[in-house]
Amino acid sequence: MNPLRSLFLAGVIALGLIVPARAQVAAPSAVTPPAVSATGNAAIPSANAAAPSAGPLRLTLNLEGEGQKGQLSVAVQIVLLMTLLSVAPSLVLLMSCFTRIVIVLGFVRTALGVPSAPSNQIIVGLALFLTFFIMGPVIDRIHGEALQPYMAGSIAADTAIERATGPLKEFMLKQTRTRDLEYFLALGGFGPTAVNDLPMRVVIPAFVISELQTAFQMGFVLFLPFLVIDFLVSSVLMSLGMMMMPPNVVSLPIKLLLFVLVDGWHLIVRSLVQSFTG
């Protein structure tokens, strides 16, 4: 049986049990004595005398709070919060600078030849905090222009969403290549569109593709010096006749020493931040 039908049937049965119990008429508090006739005998009530009717049963529904602003219940608020938490990672990954940062940091770890140092938690945590730092001005604009007026009740939800997408779209368009925008505009069947009128379903995929392209370009540049070190170490080992010696055993300390001497983490983080703010 359909669950909705089962719930509806249970409600009807419960209503049928409650209404007869509520329909009982309360007994009078005082018994009225029978009327006495002129001869002194008690008057016998006629069988045809109409008994007082209890009246028809009525079901009254009261809607309280008329004229007041509707407020969501706690259960609905919890559902909305859980939904937001499930969607938030996708928003952070695809609509911010997190994608480029985490890919470049992963390339650095792979180029060094240490796949477990730093760990994934450190890489993701560093990328997340750098994202919050870079996206700080955008978040402040969204909070001041959309969130605060909406919480104060001065604007509606659709207006708040429209105001929130403005700074975010402006940030994404600065990092998006024109080629990617034109491709998704043509793919979606849009004609010539002004920059301010670009829909988010065109801006977001174009932004993601551009971020992936930029991240892989930066990763290629980072790989070059470490690749040169690997070639040099392999050539030296071959010339010395140490063919059984793995080149990684010798090249790893050299790469780590070079990375520490040039202050590699500072250079990489500075390059990432300047790639968004420059």
Side-chain angles (χ1 to χ4, degrees), residues 11-266:
V12 171
I13 294 174
L15 185 61
L17 295 176
I18 294 173
V19 171
R22 296 291 301 272
Q24 296 180 358
V25 180
S29 59
V31 180
T32 304
V36 181
S37 63
T39 59
N41 297 325
I44 300 175
S46 174
N48 296 328
S53 61
L57 297 178
R58 293 184 176 88
L59 180 63
T60 304
L61 298 176
N62 294 326
L63 299 177
E64 298 179 356
E66 184 179 0
Q68 299 178 359
K69 295 182 178 180
Q71 295 182 357
L72 298 177
S73 62
V74 178
V76 177
Q77 292 179 6
I78 293 176
V79 172
L80 292 177
L81 180 61
M82 296 301 295
T83 304
L84 180 61
L85 290 178
S86 62
V87 177
S90 299
L91 298 178
V92 173
L93 290 175
L94 300 180
M95 301 177 66
S96 66
C97 56
F98 180 85
T99 303
R100 184 190 304 184
I101 295 174
V102 74
I103 291 177
V104 171
L105 294 179
F107 272 125
V108 172
R109 184 177 61 180
T110 305
L112 286 173
V114 282
S116 60
S119 62
N120 292 329
Q121 291 83 358
I122 297 177
I123 292 293
V124 174
L126 179 59
L128 192 60
F129 279 103
L130 287 176
T131 301
F132 289 152
F133 176 78
I134 296 173
M135 300 293 293
V138 179
I139 296 175
D140 293 340
R141 287 185 57 187
I142 294 175
H143 184 267
E145 298 177 5
L147 186 58
Q148 284 187 349
Y150 175 71
M151 297 298 293
S154 59
I155 60 176
D158 53 351
T159 306
I161 295 175
E162 184 179 357
R163 291 186 180 181
T165 55
L168 199 58
K169 184 190 296 185
E170 182 180 350
F171 169 80
M172 289 190 293
L173 288 176
K174 288 182 180 179
Q175 313 299 328
T176 305
R177 297 182 302 175
T178 306
R179 176 183 177 183
D180 296 328
L181 286 174
E182 293 177 351
Y183 170 72
F184 283 101
L185 282 175
L187 192 64
F190 296 93
T193 307
V195 176
N196 296 330
D197 298 333
L198 289 173
M200 292 297 290
R201 63 192 182 102
V202 171
V203 176
I204 293 176
F207 171 74
V208 174
I209 297 299
S210 299
E211 286 294 286
L212 291 175
Q213 179 71 19
T214 305
F216 274 76
Q217 289 176 355
M218 297 180 69
F220 172 76
V221 174
L222 289 171
F223 255 98
L224 287 179
F226 300 107
L227 188 62
V228 171
I229 294 176
D230 289 334
F231 281 150
L232 292 177
V233 171
S234 299
S235 300
V236 171
L237 291 178
M238 289 291 292
S239 62
L240 295 177
M242 303 175 63
M243 292 178 294
M244 301 301 295
M245 174 68 70
N248 294 332
V249 177
V250 181
S251 62
L252 179 59
I254 298 176
K255 289 189 289 187
L256 292 177
L257 179 62
L258 177 64
F259 192 74
V260 172
L261 290 178
V262 299
D263 198 2
W265 289 114
H266 173 75

